[in-house]
Amino acid sequence: MSTDPGLPESWEYTLQVPSDPLAPCIARRTLRTIFEEHGFARVAETAELLTSELVTNSYRHSDGPASVRVRREGKGSAVRVTVWDTNPALPGLQVTALPREDAEEGRGLALVMRCADSWGGFALRRQPQGLTGKLVWFELGGNENRGGPGGETA
């Protein structure tokens, strides 16, 4: 965790990304900076990988823009990364096996399942603001005393 007493314990950032092949790269670099600056350097690489996978899926499977929200709600809580896109179709959220070694796609969600402390997703019905599509999220780096993926143990 950050040792800077000036940083708040709760924070949130939102990155709007266009439907563009550079979106995953921009999201990766932005996430790495956020995680490192807020004292989550130990899980920054994992956050970067998982965010890149979700934004790549968004670019490949939706025809509109996407957004990435990164949020922490207080000391000891995990950082949640949420990716929204315009396609309401959810990926196969029950699939747990990695694809064959020679497969050229299908690894993204399997990586999220294996590397995140928790994850999920849901379709959005038309919201009052006109928002539709889906949200897919994951959490990393919660309880500092927990080991395993995303744990902040020293």
Side-chain angles (χ1 to χ4, degrees):
M1 298 297 141
S2 176
T3 58
D4 184 342
L7 288 177
E9 292 177 355
S10 297
W11 42 264
E12 181 176 320
Y13 297 89
T14 302
L15 173 65
Q16 306 296 326
V17 294
S19 181
D20 184 286
L22 290 176
C25 176
I26 301 299
R28 272 195 314 270
R29 291 178 180 179
T30 302
L31 262 284
R32 178 169 291 276
T33 299
I34 292 168
F35 271 71
E36 288 178 351
E37 292 300 320
H38 280 282
F40 286 85
R42 183 172 179 177
V43 294
E45 188 174 325
T46 302
E48 184 179 354
L49 170 67
L50 301 184
T51 301
S52 179
E53 293 295 339
L54 294 180
V55 173
T56 297
N57 286 348
S58 174
Y59 170 70
R60 294 181 78 195
H61 301 291
S62 72
D63 58 1
S67 68
V68 179
R69 185 172 75 171
V70 186
R71 178 175 52 128
R72 181 173 186 229
E73 292 187 355
K75 186 176 182 176
S77 66
V79 177
R80 178 175 281 205
V81 176
T82 305
V83 176
W84 165 82
D85 69 40
T86 59
N87 183 350
L90 288 169
L93 298 179
Q94 302 307 318
V95 178
T96 58
L98 285 172
R100 293 185 348 217
E101 265 186 50
D102 60 346
E104 294 192 19
E105 58 183 43
R107 288 179 164 69
L109 195 55
L111 285 170
V112 172
M113 286 186 248
R114 301 226 175 180
C115 297
D117 292 337
S118 60
W119 70 279
F122 54 92
L124 298 171
R125 294 197 166 93
R126 183 161 291 283
Q127 303 294 305
Q129 308 86 350
L131 187 65
T132 59
K134 71 173 162 299
L135 296 170
V136 180
W137 59 269
F138 65 87
E139 291 183 342
L140 293 171
N143 184 348
E144 300 94 78
N145 298 319
R146 183 180 67 225
E152 292 293 317
T153 56

